[in-house]
Amino acid sequence: MRESGSLEQQLLEYKAILEHSGSAVVCTRNRRVYRCNPRAEALFGWPAGTLVGQRDRVFYPDSAACEALREQARAALSVGETLDIEMQLARRDGSGFVAHLIGRAIDPAAPGQGAVWIVRDITQEVDARESSAQLLREQQLISRTPKPVS
């Protein structure tokens, strides 16, 4: 009896972690969402309780992006690896954002059992990186430009 109480406690703890995580968490199986946390619904613009059951295609700006990620995921998850990438995703209203995705098979020995995805919107971070890189390029160009002789 103590063992089942311990298991029940663990499940409650895992549920609390999932529901209160600052990161979006999405569980997929057979190309459908079967579990997600409130942060995922908010990030992707879905009303509470409506993201579960949706096809994975709803996360991508187009079918080519969806298929490209499926191929990458299949290659990594089928051999027990973690997929860690940045890519463009889409919200329910069609607006896009740059996401950092970390995906892992729930059971690496049986990848068909589904995957867990951690998703973060990194649009502002990417914009800041690109701005910094642009400033660096400009500074390098200025420093290489010969000074006029007076």
Side-chain angles (χ1 to χ4, degrees), residues 4-103:
S4 77
S6 175
L7 182 58
E8 288 173 21
Q9 182 63 34
Q10 279 185 331
L11 289 174
L12 288 172
E13 290 168 359
Y14 293 147
K15 183 178 179 185
I17 290 167
L18 179 67
E19 289 180 358
H20 295 74
S21 173
S23 296
V25 180
V26 177
C27 299
T28 59
R29 182 182 307 130
N30 298 324
R31 299 183 177 181
R32 290 198 180 273
V33 176
Y34 74 89
R35 183 169 289 121
C36 66
N37 67 352
R39 180 70 188 114
E41 293 169 326
L43 176 63
F44 288 103
W46 289 81
T50 61
L51 186 54
V52 170
Q54 297 296 323
R55 300 216 19 108
D56 64 351
R57 171 67 178 86
V58 301
F59 299 118
Y60 306 97
D62 55 47
S63 57
C66 179
E67 193 53 43
L69 181 66
R70 284 178 183 164
E71 288 178 25
Q72 286 182 290
R74 245 187 315 272
L77 277 51
S78 67
V79 294
E81 293 179 2
T82 298
L83 182 63
D84 187 336
I85 62 171
E86 293 179 5
M87 69 177 298
Q88 188 77 22
L89 293 181
R91 292 185 173 84
R92 185 175 188 211
D93 66 5
S95 63
F97 66 97
V98 181
H100 177 216
L101 285 173
I102 300 172

